[in-house]
Amino acid sequence: MGNKLATDAAEPAAVTVEQARQQGKPAAPAAKSYAGFLKNNMRDYGMLLSLIVIMGFFQVMTDGTLMQPLNLTNLVLQNSYVVIMALGMLMVIVAGHIDLSVGSVVGFIGALAAVLIVNFNMHFVPASIICLAAGALIGGAQGYFVAFFRIPSFIVTLAGMLVFKGLTLALLAGQSVGPFPQGFQMLSSGFLPDPFAHADLRMLSLLLGVAAACALLYTALRARARQLKHGMENEPYGFFLAKNAVFAAVIVGFSYLLATYKGMPNVLVVMAVLIVAYTFVSNRTVLGRRVYAVGGNEKAAKLSGIKTERVSFYTFVNMGMLAALAGLVFAARLNTATPKAGTGFELDVIAACFIGGASASGGVGKVMGAVIGAFIMGVMNNGMSIMGIGIDYQQVIKGLVLLAAVFVDVFNKNK
């Protein structure tokens, strides 16, 4: 009798849940407390909070210099190549591999571009296409050994790091080559032309920022409505509003600050397009889901019909092409190709992915997490440089931050 009463008492609640789902409203039993949701999603929210806290700290410690329009522009230019490579490195790490050669590939592609453009007087557009194809070929060669010969990616890419560092020295004959033509420099040092030119404000850059913020809000609202329609568990409405309002405000505020200087750098537009493209690929395409499946459990993915070797191969091809693009951006920024270009870049890129929430064991990681991780590293470098902290202590601090990020990941996984 007691069991029957308990069952009868539970039925109305079940009906209420079903009715709520049919009406496209969140079901009460599926709702989470704010504390519980934050605890279960600390990886995602922790990265964003960390970036905000770090920026606030250095804004105070540098007496407001960090958020000056000139410094923000420099921050974008200094970290553009790290963000570009972090997108490719994230896919490699999610698939369960690593690429230590990206820094050397950046230097090699910059040297190749200098030889083609400066020494052989080739136009920078076909030269850039050749360089991107060379980067994809380099990534494909390394990926072939990893995917089809089953050689550990650590060994293959470590060999690649040494090989392309040597080829860079050989290609440049140990000397710097430059300068590049003005058109090629615009890739990194140029700014969007503004038809609404104003003495104190670049209106086009501000309008693009407002449009990007509106697009973000619209996309987020559509995604939430689609999830609620199918009765999927969702984040509390307060978190949803706060998160997207903060993102939109940051985009508009950032665009305004840039608009008061020279407007949006060309490389920022390239970065934004890549971030949107890779977010779509990782979240909404079959290839993106297969990358996560391979990294999560390669044997299960293979048994389900996924050609795991091909997926791993494609991630390295993609990484090589993005490393080539970063090499072009870096060479354009320096206006010369040097034998030491790209040294240590692989450490910053890998650190950005791990700080951004990627798992060292594969299968876990988000595009925005890698971008946030890259900017955490960039803000730390920039802020410590403004404060006059030596490069020795900067390396110590960055190493400790990376260790702490991986420790938190492993701790949460074991827990």
Side-chain angles (χ1 to χ4, degrees), residues 86-143:
L87 299 175
M89 187 65 73
L90 177 69
M91 296 292 102
V92 172
I93 291 175
V94 167
H97 303 291
I98 199 74
D99 192 342
L100 301 178
S101 68
V102 292
S104 297
V105 173
V106 165
F108 175 74
I109 293 298
L112 179 61
V115 169
L116 293 176
I117 297 173
V118 178
N119 293 351
F120 293 164
N121 295 316
M122 182 181 291
H123 192 273
F124 67 88
V125 173
S128 298
I129 294 174
I130 292 174
C131 288
L132 291 176
L137 184 63
I138 291 170
Q142 296 186 127

Side-chain angles (χ1 to χ4, degrees), residues 67-348:
M67 298 298 291
Q68 292 291 328
L70 173 59
N71 190 62
L72 286 177
T73 301
N74 290 333
L75 189 63
V76 170
L77 298 180
Q78 291 168 1
N79 293 279
S80 56
Y81 46 87
V82 177
V83 174
I84 290 171
M85 286 191 289
L87 299 175
M89 187 65 73
L90 177 69
M91 296 292 102
V92 172
I93 291 175
V94 167
H97 303 291
I98 199 74
D99 192 342
L100 301 178
S101 68
V102 292
S104 297
V105 173
V106 165
F108 175 74
I109 293 298
L112 179 61
V115 169
L116 293 176
I117 297 173
V118 178
N119 293 351
F120 293 164
N121 295 316
M122 182 181 291
H123 192 273
F124 67 88
V125 173
S128 298
I129 294 174
I130 292 174
C131 288
L132 291 176
L137 184 63
I138 291 170
Q142 296 186 127
Y144 190 82
F145 284 107
V146 173
F148 296 101
F149 285 95
R150 313 299 293 179
I151 302 176
S153 58
F154 182 91
I155 301 300
V156 173
T157 58
L158 178 61
M161 179 175 70
L162 299 174
V163 167
F164 293 107
K165 189 173 292 185
L167 289 177
T168 301
L169 289 170
L171 200 58
L172 295 176
Q175 299 179 344
S176 298
V177 176
F180 289 102
Q182 186 67 29
F184 182 75
Q185 295 179 45
M186 294 296 287
L187 174 63
S188 181
S189 60
F191 296 83
L192 287 181
D194 195 344
F196 313 106
H198 191 274
D200 301 321
L201 194 66
R202 302 293 189 272
M203 286 300 299
L204 179 61
S205 298
L206 180 58
L207 292 174
L208 286 176
V210 173
C214 293
L216 172 68
L217 292 174
Y218 175 74
T219 303
L221 287 171
R222 278 198 62 185
R224 183 178 177 86
R226 186 166 52 248
Q227 289 177 332
L228 293 177
K229 181 180 179 181
H230 294 90
M232 298 174 63
E233 187 176 342
N234 221 307
E235 62 185 334
Y237 195 60
F239 272 120
F240 172 79
L241 287 179
K243 180 183 71 175
N244 288 283
V246 168
F247 271 125
V250 167
I251 291 174
V252 174
F254 184 70
S255 303
Y256 174 77
L257 291 174
L258 292 179
T260 59
Y261 179 54
K262 291 184 178 181
M264 287 190 179
N266 293 335
V267 71
L268 179 60
V269 178
V270 174
M271 285 165 48
V273 171
L274 288 174
I275 291 170
V276 171
Y278 277 84
T279 300
F280 177 80
V281 169
S282 62
N283 294 340
R284 304 294 297 275
T285 66
V286 173
L287 179 60
R289 296 188 184 99
R290 287 179 176 176
V291 171
Y292 282 89
V294 169
N297 191 324
E298 184 176 1
K299 290 183 179 178
K302 196 175 187 67
L303 290 173
S304 65
I306 297 175
K307 296 181 179 179
T308 57
E309 295 85 359
R310 186 178 297 179
V311 172
S312 296
F313 173 76
Y314 286 153
T315 60
F316 279 95
V317 172
N318 174 68
M319 181 72 257
M321 188 168 61
L322 288 180
L325 177 58
L328 295 175
V329 170
F330 188 69
R333 180 169 175 264
L334 291 183
N335 196 24
T336 186
T338 65
K340 291 187 176 296
T343 302
F345 283 8
E346 62 277 351
L347 302 181
D348 285 338

